[in-house]
């Protein structure tokens, strides 16, 4: 594996007190898989990482934990007793390796009765670079002290209790002394690593258009999908201290994009816009697309000679009812672009292009502003594109007809073969891409897949991780899919 230390990466995840975990330390390599029985805490570990990543991207604490089933209180370890003031909480942290060396970040979060960050500690270079503590429960702030190493050893000031203090340091630290420059470098390293995460959870029912209206943000991260700058909050320099969302100097490429923004043809977490993205990537890099086709060929049953995006066949009206069927040779009347009420057909298509009997009703595409309609913003019209497999003598088949495992394999393989420019995420825009590593987080990575498909996917991840630009943290049911593959670290939880 390429272990280039110039690229910041989370190399350790600490679950000091989080859900079922107490005092758990997980070393993370370029390719780490978590295994264990049901209830062992595999998904919880990824959830803790995601909370850190959201905070590092500038989101508020409330937004960072709002997708946790059961709310913030569900993050509190079972059996944790409240103190005299009725307060309970959880503690998580991580270590980020990079040019500064190992930098550790640890958080103490109060979940009850009020959600707030009550303690934060950033250490690196043999120094305590930042500490925060709640000194006045009646104020929405913590008292912060950061390393200065000048005439005054530390600088003290209040910071908001709903934001990650580390991400706010560049808005407060001047960088005049060696100590201040160390603080800035360490904060940048942590933020770059945390915001370079993409949560991927391909949902076959949504990808087929049968799971209800497509959500603007897909699963996991509403609005922005992937770990991005906070939705509706500027993702870079600017903004007042305490409400700014990013580190100055590590502005996100897609900063400021919110629920009303556009994904610009970038793949969302649920992969519901896979056809539009494949239409783009197949033209941008022929070599990468050929690798994707080869991987899909190994994972699918039957011949696969090609994979291409074509105009979606006519047959769905704006009212969402099935119209006349279209033949393979004469694709006409592609779905209109941008019109409110435009629908995506959820019907299965046969190899000859005819609508299959008993096809499910079409469902509308949710626009960025919450209205139905195809999105605009640089990518192909999502409602007017579909992806078909070329099966040689068997003809073409829409990928919607693939099994759940095959469909998830296709989506995850595309994610591993692409990068931040193709995914709906907001990496640090002013840091050279050569100095960044994207971390793909895939809970239930082998879900719906047989062993052959799961192993092929892990093998593809190994090849991509060797290039040093992609890391993977996933959970699997069957750890044997990684046996004999170089560089794969399997951590067994609950053992």
């Amino acid at each position: 594996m390429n272990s280039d230390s110039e690229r910041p990466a989370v190399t350790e995840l600490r679950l000091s007190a989080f859900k079922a975990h107490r005092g758990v330390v997980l070393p993370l390599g370029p390719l780490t898989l978590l295994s264990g029985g049901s209830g062992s805490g595999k998904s919880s570990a990824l959830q803790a990482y995601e909370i850190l990543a959201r905070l590092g991207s500038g989101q508020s604490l409330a937004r960072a934990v709002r997708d946790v089933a059961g709310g913030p209180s569900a993050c509190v370890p079972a059996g944790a007793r409240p103190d005299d003031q009725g307060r309970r909480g959880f503690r998580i942290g991580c270590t980020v390796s990079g040019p500064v060396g190992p930098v550790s970040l640890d958080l103490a979060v109060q979940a009850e009765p009020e959600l707030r960050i009550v303690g934060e500690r950033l250490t690196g270079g043999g120094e305590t670079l930042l500490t925060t503590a709640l000194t006045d429960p009646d104020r929405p702030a913590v008292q912060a002290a950061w390393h200065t190493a000048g005439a005054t050893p530390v600088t003290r000031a209040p910071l908001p209790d709903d934001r990650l203090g580390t991400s706010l340091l560049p808005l407060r630290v001047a960088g005049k002394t060696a100590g201040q420059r160390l603080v800035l470098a360490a904060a940048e390293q942590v933020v770059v690593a945390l915001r370079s995460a993409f949560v991927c959870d391909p949902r076959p029912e949504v990808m087929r258009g049968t799971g209800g209206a497509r959500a603007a943000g897909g699963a996991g991260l509403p609005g922005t999908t992937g770990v991005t700058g906070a939705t509706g909050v500027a993702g870079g320099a600017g903004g007042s201290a305490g409400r700014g969302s990013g580190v100055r100097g590590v502005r996100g490429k897609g900063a400021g994009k919110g629920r009303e923004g556009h994904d610009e043809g970038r793949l969302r977490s649920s992969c519901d816009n896979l056809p539009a993205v494949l239409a783009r990537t197949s033209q941008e890099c022929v070599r990468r697309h050929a690798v994707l086709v080869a991987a899909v060929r190994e994972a699918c049953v039957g011949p696969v000679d090609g994979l291409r995006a074509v105009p979606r066949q006519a047959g769905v009206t704006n009212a969402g009812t099935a119209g006349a069927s279209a033949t393979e040779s004469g694709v006409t009347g592609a779905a209109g672009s941008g019109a409110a009420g435009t629908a995506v057909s959820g019907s299965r298509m046969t190899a000859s292009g005819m609508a299959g009997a008993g096809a499910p009703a079409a469902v509308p595409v949710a626009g960025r502003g919450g209205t139905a309609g195809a999105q605009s913003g640089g990518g192909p019209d999502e409602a007017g594109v579909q992806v078909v497999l070329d099966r040689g003598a068997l003809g073409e088949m829409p990928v919607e007809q693939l099994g759940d495992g095959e469909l998830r394999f296709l989506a995850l393989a595309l994610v591993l073969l692409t990068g931040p420019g193709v995914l709906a995420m907001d990496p640090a825009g002013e840091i050279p891409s050569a100095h960044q590593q994207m971390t793909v987080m895939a809970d239930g990575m082998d879900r719906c897949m047989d062993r052959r498909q799961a192993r092929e996917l892990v093998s593809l991840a190994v090849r991509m991780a060797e290039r040093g630009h992609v890391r993977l943290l996933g959970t699997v049911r069957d750890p044997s899919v990684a046996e004999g593959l170089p560089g794969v670290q399997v951590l067994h939880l609950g053992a």
Side-chain angles (χ1 to χ4, degrees):
M1 292 286 181
N2 188 332
S3 58
D4 188 348
S5 62
E6 292 302 309
R7 300 183 182 122
V10 177
T11 53
E12 184 177 272
L13 179 64
R14 289 184 293 280
L15 309 173
S16 302
F18 185 79
K19 290 195 168 183
H21 298 288
R22 287 183 179 271
V24 174
V25 177
L26 302 176
L28 305 181
L31 209 167
T32 302
L33 300 178
L34 307 180
S35 73
S38 177
S40 61
K42 303 185 299 296
S43 298
S44 297
L46 265 66
Q47 205 164 52
Y49 191 130
E50 185 178 343
I51 291 172
L52 290 170
R54 286 174 177 261
L55 290 170
S57 295
Q59 294 189 18
S60 68
L61 177 60
R63 288 190 60 84
V65 302
R66 75 176 188 178
D67 289 337
V68 177
S73 296
C75 298
V76 179
R81 297 177 178 238
D83 63 12
D84 294 340
Q85 285 75 43
R87 297 176 297 187
R88 300 198 311 156
F90 60 91
R91 290 180 290 124
I92 56 177
C94 65
T95 296
V96 176
S97 297
V100 181
V103 178
S104 294
L105 170 69
D106 291 284
L107 293 179
V109 178
Q110 175 185 302
E112 300 170 355
E114 181 182 5
L115 183 64
R116 62 202 312 183
I117 297 175
V118 295
E120 179 176 347
R121 184 180 180 90
L122 184 72
T123 59
E127 301 286 349
T128 298
L129 305 177
L130 169 71
T131 59
T132 70
L134 181 66
T135 57
D136 185 352
D138 295 327
R139 296 183 58 197
V142 291
Q143 186 66 27
W146 57 83
H147 182 61
T148 303
T152 304
V154 297
T155 301
R156 302 181 189 277
L159 291 178
D161 64 0
D162 68 336
R163 303 277 170 170
L164 184 69
T166 296
S167 68
L168 301 175
L169 286 176
L171 303 174
R172 295 296 191 97
V173 180
K176 294 181 179 179
T177 69
Q180 290 175 338
R181 288 190 290 273
L182 175 60
V183 170
L184 290 174
E188 178 182 281
Q189 178 169 299
V190 170
V191 170
V192 167
L194 289 178
R195 73 185 300 163
S196 297
F198 180 73
V199 178
C200 187
D201 182 21
R203 296 166 56 193
E205 73 281 3
V206 177
M207 296 167 70
R208 295 189 181 102
T210 59
R214 298 181 187 184
L221 299 177
T224 53
T225 308
V227 177
T228 71
T231 301
V233 182
S240 60
R243 287 294 181 263
S245 67
V247 169
R248 182 167 48 199
V250 291
R251 185 180 179 86
K253 293 180 181 178
K257 288 183 179 132
R259 184 172 291 276
E260 283 73 33
H262 297 298
D263 285 328
E264 297 183 351
R266 298 188 299 169
L267 190 66
R268 296 190 283 264
S269 176
S270 65
C271 302
D272 64 300
N273 60 336
L274 180 72
V277 176
L278 264 175
R280 168 190 167 189
T281 58
S282 61
Q283 298 176 4
E284 289 180 346
C285 184
V286 176
R287 178 185 296 180
R288 178 176 58 195
H289 188 70
V291 175
L292 176 63
V293 172
V296 172
R297 182 180 300 119
E298 294 296 322
C300 289
V301 176
V304 176
D305 293 344
L307 181 69
R308 63 193 182 94
V310 299
R312 185 173 292 277
Q313 301 196 15
V316 179
T317 68
N318 285 346
T321 59
S325 61
T327 64
E328 179 183 14
S329 60
V331 178
T332 61
S337 60
T342 298
V344 175
S345 172
S347 60
R348 302 290 183 90
M349 305 293 290
T350 66
S352 63
M354 303 297 291
V363 294
V365 176
R368 305 310 293 169
T371 60
Q375 295 181 26
S376 60
D381 180 356
E382 292 180 12
V385 175
Q386 68 177 154
V387 176
V388 296
L389 283 179
D390 180 357
R391 292 200 177 255
L394 299 180
E396 292 183 341
M397 183 186 78
V399 296
E400 288 88 346
Q401 288 190 9
L402 292 173
D404 286 0
E406 294 171 318
L407 207 51
R408 280 181 55 82
F409 180 96
L410 169 60
L412 285 164
L414 177 62
V415 170
L416 292 171
L417 286 166
T418 57
V422 178
L423 306 175
M425 58 185 296
D426 193 14
E430 296 178 15
I431 304 297
S433 58
H435 291 170
Q436 298 187 51
Q437 292 186 90
M438 178 181 72
T439 297
V440 177
M441 299 167 59
D443 190 17
M445 179 176 165
D446 59 347
R447 187 186 315 137
C448 303
M449 298 184 197
D450 59 32
R451 189 179 186 280
R452 174 181 58 86
Q453 293 167 334
R455 186 171 178 82
E456 180 63 28
L457 186 62
V458 177
S459 297
L460 177 62
V462 169
R463 297 197 299 273
M464 300 311 299
E466 285 176 344
R467 301 170 63 179
H469 291 281
V470 176
R471 297 170 67 89
L472 173 67
L473 174 60
T475 68
V476 293
R477 295 168 302 170
D478 180 11
S480 69
V481 299
E483 287 181 358
L485 295 178
V488 182
Q489 175 182 236
V490 179
L491 303 179
H492 301 276
L493 303 185

